[in-house]
Amino acid sequence: MIKDIATPTRTKEILQKYGFSFKKSLGQNFLIDTNILQNIVDNANLTNNSCVIEIGPGIGALTEQIAKQAKKVVAFEIDQRLLPILSDTLSSYPNVKIIHQDVLKANVKEIIDEEFKGYDDLMVVANLPYYVTTPILMKLLEERLPLRGIVVMLQKEVADRMAASPNSKEYGSLSIAVQYYTEAKTVMIVPKTVFVPQPNVDSAVIRLTKRQEPAVIVKDEEFFFEVVRASFAQRRKTILNNLNHNLTKYQLTKETILEALSEANIKPERRGESLSIEEFGKLSDVLYERRA
Ligand code: SAM
């Protein structure tokens, strides 16, 4: 019987057979531990009806474990050199389709419609290339793809920021952007030793469960995110000062901002990091009415 791809020996054999050299610039750190992969897949709660999008299959280590459980896997891989390897390593999984594209440039929505006709459960499962973790996740969330959720390996530091609660040093605009669309939970901390080559940073697996509705319903989403970003622009400044200095294009006077803060029941000397997502929602709505 053929061993799983994600064992140190089989991975080494595959890499040698194809003379593959890692490209650091593409975030190529491959997993060589089947238990970790199993854990990632278990956290996605797949059934044989599940459709899965993977980003960056590498030599197929995670793809293989997903394919064993899901109905179909569509994996985006940017590195052309991996295509012949994948068609070899995954040849016994007819439910896998590799798409040679940069996921950031791909029309994912169209691909979902084409590849997963009549699907009733759609998940993203991946060991992400770390140099583009945030743009990939924000693309998947902002495009409002019909996903149940996302389970991905990423830098621990980014996972901490995505899942952070108010009043912690990790809490910021990324926490709010992610938690606006999803419930975020770090489900595993992963040692460097389970990768080849080992990354420079610690890793974690995060589970993002899509909300039916955003965490707060606001009058204008774009404005809401601008208020959030402005509030965190200089973390040590008060919310009043940050809004006063960083929302200038809306010509809000200091007095107007004070009025809005009072209406939203937020003390002007508080800092952005102490505001809940609901408070940001209320604040952006009252400011929205007062903008020029
Ligand atoms: N899934 C494999 C594993 O767990 O062993 C490989 C994960 S490795 C961290 C990231 C993979 O993403 C690499 O195969 C890399 O070539 C690919 N990749 C990097 N940037 C990409 C992009 N923009 N679009 C699609 N794939 C990308």
Side-chain angles (χ1 to χ4, degrees):
M1 205 188 112
I2 300 181
K3 279 197 276 319
D4 281 342
I5 298 167
T7 60
T9 39
R10 175 105 197 276
T11 297
K12 203 168 154 200
E13 271 167 29
I14 295 166
L15 297 175
Q16 267 173 3
K17 177 173 171 192
Y18 289 92
F20 184 82
S21 54
F22 295 101
K23 271 199 189 152
K24 213 173 166 183
S25 62
L26 290 180
Q28 291 179 338
N29 301 95
F30 295 172
L31 278 165
I32 48 165
D33 185 316
T34 320
N35 289 328
I36 299 277
L37 290 170
Q38 203 49 59
N39 214 319
I40 298 175
V41 177
D42 287 350
N43 269 295
N45 293 318
L46 302 177
T47 70
N48 54 13
N49 251 330
S50 300
C51 293
V52 177
I53 296 173
E54 189 193 356
I55 294 138
I59 58 169
L62 178 58
T63 327
E64 173 177 52
Q65 303 303 325
I66 303 168
K68 284 182 189 172
Q69 295 200 16
K71 185 172 168 189
K72 184 169 179 184
V73 193
V74 169
F76 291 92
E77 176 53 65
I78 199 172
D79 188 348
Q80 181 148 24
R81 300 172 307 151
L82 289 165
L83 303 187
I85 308 184
L86 285 163
S87 59
D88 174 6
T89 57
L90 297 172
S91 61
S92 45
Y93 299 96
N95 57 341
V96 174
K97 171 148 183 185
I98 307 293
I99 298 190
H100 175 219
Q101 264 186 51
D102 176 347
V103 71
L104 290 174
K105 295 192 183 138
N107 187 340
V108 181
K109 198 158 205 162
E110 201 175 275
I111 290 171
I112 289 173
D113 290 342
E114 277 166 17
E115 297 294 337
F116 298 130
K117 283 194 188 79
Y119 64 90
D120 56 19
D121 183 50
L122 181 58
M123 286 294 289
V124 170
V125 181
N127 171 19
L128 291 175
Y130 290 178
Y131 75 106
V132 275
T133 301
T134 307
I136 291 176
L137 290 176
M138 289 322 299
K139 172 180 164 116
L140 298 174
L141 296 174
E142 284 168 357
E143 289 186 356
R144 294 171 189 270
L145 303 174
L147 306 172
R148 170 164 58 88
I150 299 176
V151 176
V152 285
M153 175 91 75
L154 71 177
Q155 305 91 311
K156 179 177 176 300
E157 174 258 326
V158 179
D160 288 346
R161 288 198 280 132
M162 290 184 171
S165 307
N167 294 310
S168 61
K169 70 174 193 318
E170 293 81 14
Y171 185 66
S173 45
L174 184 63
S175 324
I176 293 173
V178 168
Q179 293 172 36
Y180 179 76
Y181 299 103
T182 71
E183 283 182 55
K185 188 173 173 9
T186 300
V187 291
M188 195 177 14
I189 309 293
V190 182
K192 292 176 183 161
T193 47
V194 300
F195 300 90
V196 281
Q198 294 189 14
N200 296 325
V201 294
D202 290 326
S203 298
V205 175
I206 199 168
R207 182 173 59 217
L208 306 175
T209 309
K210 269 289 276 296
R211 299 178 190 274
Q212 298 284 339
E213 296 274 352
V216 274
I217 307 295
V218 291
K219 289 186 175 144
D220 186 288
E221 237 171 48
E222 218 179 295
F223 185 73
F224 166 75
F225 285 113
E226 282 188 68
V227 169
V228 170
R229 275 193 298 273
S231 306
F232 285 105
Q234 280 152 301
R235 290 186 73 96
R236 269 186 263 168
K237 281 197 174 166
T238 62
I239 182 97
L240 173 64
N241 280 336
N242 264 328
L243 294 176
N244 195 26
H245 289 119
N246 303 305
L247 276 183
T248 43
K249 78 174 193 222
Y250 297 103
Q251 295 169 18
L252 294 155
T253 63
K254 198 164 183 173
E255 287 63 42
T256 315
I257 296 171
L258 274 166
E259 255 174 49
L261 284 165
S262 159
E263 194 181 327
N265 248 323
I266 297 164
K267 293 212 168 72
E269 61 276 12
R270 283 175 63 185
R271 299 212 171 115
E273 67 192 47
S274 76
L275 268 66
S276 66
I277 196 162
E278 292 77 17
E279 287 180 308
F280 275 117
K282 174 84 183 143
L283 177 59
S284 96
D285 279 357
V286 295
L287 283 170
Y288 188 73
E289 295 303 325
R290 289 168 165 84
R291 79 205 188 287

